[in-house]
Amino acid sequence: MKNKYFNTNVWFSSVIFFHTQSSHGQTFMSRSGLTSYPSGSLRELSYLSLPLILSIFSSYLCLFCDRLFLSYYAVQAMEACTIASSLILVFQKFSMHIALMTQPFVARFKGTGQLSLAGQFTWQMIWFAIFSSIIIIPLGLFVSSWFFKNCEVQNQAQIYFNYFLYGNCLFALESVFTSFYSGIGKTRLIFYFQLISHSLNIGLNVILIFGI
């Protein structure tokens, strides 16, 4: 069954974020305005929102391919994936939605010219995403032992769930980085990260699922 413990979105996003926080990155964040279009215009809205819309579409396409390949591999694997996904979403959404609070604060600090505070707040959320595993992992293991009990695909569902649970902080980190970039108006970077990551994901499906 596919191992998604390594999240390529986080790797690509973190590389650019750390560069942004360097001395050269200060210029990257200090440009006035989000786009070259008039503030609040339809063109500016389209410029900022379209990459995010395409990123969401890319995510669902990747998810569809994951499920499609699993269904060809084994029906039991597909059942285990479906059952485990319904539970892991509870833990993912908890940490991800808190991490998404980064976006309005970064946008506010950028708008008021307090760029150093934007970086400080983002770092606080990065530490939250990392240390959230201290609570999420024990709680997830306890709940899953009850949730999957007497299930026909209990062992497979537990294995699939554990991969996501131990890598849960990566999804929260992804939310922090994407919120940071959307807060400073760099939504195209988010789309590029998603496109590269999801392309790798779909390409690796064949190797990780079918063992080729």
Side-chain angles (χ1 to χ4, degrees), residues 6-18 170 177 193:
F6 180 73
N7 194 322
T8 50
N9 278 345
V10 175
W11 188 87
F12 288 122
S13 301
S14 60
V15 170
I16 303 299
F17 172 75
F18 295 140
L170 299 179
F177 291 131
F193 296 151

Side-chain angles (χ1 to χ4, degrees), residues 20-164:
T20 302
Q21 289 298 294
S22 67
S23 59
H24 297 289
Q26 187 67 24
T27 303
F28 178 75
M29 287 186 57
S30 61
R31 297 172 183 171
S32 59
L34 296 176
T35 67
S36 58
Y37 300 112
S39 179
S41 65
L42 181 61
R43 287 182 296 177
E44 182 181 60
L45 176 63
S46 301
Y47 182 89
L48 294 174
S49 63
L50 184 58
L52 297 178
I53 295 173
L54 293 176
S55 297
I56 295 174
F57 174 78
S58 177
S59 299
Y60 282 108
L61 178 62
C62 180
L63 183 63
F64 170 78
C65 292
D66 288 346
R67 300 296 187 268
L68 179 65
F69 286 128
L70 276 178
S71 65
Y72 278 112
Y73 174 72
V75 176
Q76 293 80 7
M78 181 64 183
E79 293 177 354
C81 171
T82 303
I83 296 172
S85 297
S86 62
L87 179 60
I88 195 61
L89 280 175
V90 176
F91 300 98
Q92 285 182 355
K93 296 302 181 182
F94 170 77
S95 54
M96 289 174 65
H97 284 179
I98 295 178
L100 287 172
M101 293 171 59
T102 306
Q103 194 274 337
F105 283 95
V106 169
R108 177 180 179 274
F109 291 138
K110 176 176 171 57
T112 57
Q114 299 173 297
L115 302 180
S116 60
L117 292 179
Q120 292 176 19
F121 185 84
T122 303
W123 270 109
Q124 294 298 319
M125 298 307 290
I126 289 175
W127 289 120
F128 161 77
I130 294 174
F131 289 109
S132 64
S133 297
I134 297 176
I135 299 176
I136 295 295
I137 292 179
L139 182 61
L141 292 175
F142 172 76
V143 174
S144 64
S145 62
W146 167 80
F147 189 83
F148 300 131
K149 189 176 181 180
N150 298 326
C151 177
E152 293 182 359
V153 290
Q154 178 178 353
N155 293 333
Q156 290 178 299
Q158 187 68 59
I159 293 173
Y160 190 85
F161 175 83
N162 288 346
Y163 278 131
F164 277 92

